[in-house]
Structures are given as structure tokens and as C-alpha cells.
Amino acid sequence: MRANDQLSDFVRDGLAAGADRPALRAALAAAGWTAPEIDEALAGWADTPGLPPVPRPSAYVSAREALLYGLLFISLGMVSWHVVVLGFGIIDSLIPDPYDPGYGGFGMRWSTSALIAFLPLFLFLNRRLNREGDESARQRSLARRWVASVTMLVAILVLLGDLVAVVYAFLSGDLTLRFAAKALLVALMGGLVFAYYRDEMDG
């Protein structure tokens, strides 16, 4: 039997025997269980008058959802990347630099093609996953939580890397209007991706 199963069984038996939650918490803490483990075990059971402890829904793993959320993660990444590439091309055309030609027509055509392919996929998956089940069920999906965690980690790293690049350019005297515009675009895209998933870490 796994340790978490033992902990859950102990809490269930204790509640069924009439023990109150503070007493169970104190006993588990004295036995060496950590506060998060105790909170999770106690939260797994609901007190209902006249009934034994009622189990609350727990997190679950679904291979189908892992596939869909994985595709959503990839499509969001592709859309974000190629929106930035297109933005760089537009900035290069609006703020030309004879010493740095920037992105050519091929890069912009490739990014446009990628957006035509991946943007509808992202919108479709986002709509489908948000319409399936209720919010409480979606919050219990481990696939959703993991994809959200990885996406937010990438977004934070992008924002930090963008900040480092701006500071370095400023200290080197290379912070031009063109560079600042590109850095602002990257920060905006990273912030949008972070905001998209910020609520996924709740629950």
C-alpha cells in the first residue's frame, strides 16, 4: 500500500470513528507527515451528518486529455513564435537598418503559412477542451495542470531572457528603437501566454 493510501485510509477511519480534524492533524504531524500531505488527506473527505466520510473527487490522468493538451501546447507555441517572427518582419520594414536587413520575405511567408495551419488548430482545441465537462472536473486533470505548469515556466523564462537582453543592450549602448520594439513584442507575447494559463495553477 502506498504511503498516500495509508494516510487517506487513516483519515477516513478517524473521521468515521468520530475524531475531529484538529486531533487528526495533530496526530499526523506528530507522526512526521508534512503539512501539505496532511491538508491533502483531510481535504479528500467531506463530513456529512448521518453518513460516513464521503470521498471528494481527486486528480486524474487521461491519455486522451494528455494528447489534446499536448497538441494545444504545441499549437500555442507555434502561434506565439510565428506571431513574433511576423512582428519582427513588420518592425524591420517600419524601422529599417541598412546594416541589419532583418527578416526577409521567406521568413514572413513561412510564418504566415504556419499561422494558417496552427491558429485554427489552437482555437479548435481551446474551445473543445473548455467546453468539455465542468470547471471542477477540468481543474482535476493532471494533464492540464502539467501542460499549464510547463507553459508558464517557458513564458517566465522568455520574459526573463527578454529582460536580460534589454539590460545587456542598454549597458552596451546598443538599445535602439528597433531593438526596443522587438523586445516589447516578445514581452507582450510572453505576458499573454502567461496570462492565458495563470488560472490553471489554482485548485
Side-chain angles (χ1 to χ4, degrees):
M1 180 181 294
R2 295 180 304 174
N4 288 342
D5 294 336
Q6 292 177 327
L7 182 57
S8 179
D9 289 346
F10 173 80
V11 170
R12 179 198 61 197
D13 295 341
L15 292 173
D20 59 14
R21 291 176 180 266
L24 291 174
R25 181 183 297 276
L28 291 170
W33 294 94
T34 64
E37 290 173 325
I38 297 173
D39 291 340
E40 181 179 359
L42 291 173
W45 299 94
D47 299 320
T48 304
L51 294 175
V54 180
R56 288 194 174 100
S58 59
Y60 66 92
V61 178
S62 167
R64 173 181 171 276
E65 285 194 356
L67 172 63
L68 294 178
Y69 280 113
L71 286 174
L72 183 68
F73 171 78
I74 293 173
S75 61
L76 176 60
M78 293 294 289
V79 169
S80 302
W81 173 264
H82 288 289
V83 165
V84 169
V85 172
L86 278 177
F88 280 11
I90 294 173
I91 292 172
D92 288 338
S93 63
L94 295 177
I95 312 175
D97 184 349
Y99 300 102
D100 181 15
Y103 289 81
F106 173 78
M108 297 187 69
R109 288 194 299 271
W110 182 261
S111 292
T112 302
S113 302
L115 285 176
I116 292 174
F118 282 96
L119 182 58
L121 175 62
F122 168 75
L123 295 175
F124 169 76
L125 290 173
N126 181 65
R127 178 180 176 84
R128 178 168 181 174
L129 289 169
N130 285 332
R131 291 182 63 182
E132 289 184 352
D134 54 29
E135 182 61 24
S136 61
R138 290 195 297 271
Q139 288 289 350
R140 290 186 283 109
S141 172
L142 288 179
R144 178 178 178 173
R145 290 186 182 184
W146 274 104
V147 168
S149 300
V150 172
T151 305
M152 292 182 69
L153 174 62
V154 173
I156 292 172
L157 292 177
V158 168
L159 291 172
L160 289 174
D162 191 47
L163 177 60
V164 170
V166 170
V167 173
Y168 180 82
F170 175 77
L171 295 177
S172 302
D174 298 327
L175 186 59
T176 63
L177 177 61
R178 192 186 203 193
F179 183 90
K182 291 182 177 181
L184 179 61
L185 175 61
V186 172
L188 177 62
M189 184 56 61
L192 288 174
V193 172
F194 183 87
Y196 177 79
Y197 273 111
R198 71 182 185 278
D199 294 332
E200 303 294 334
M201 303 305 295
D202 298 334

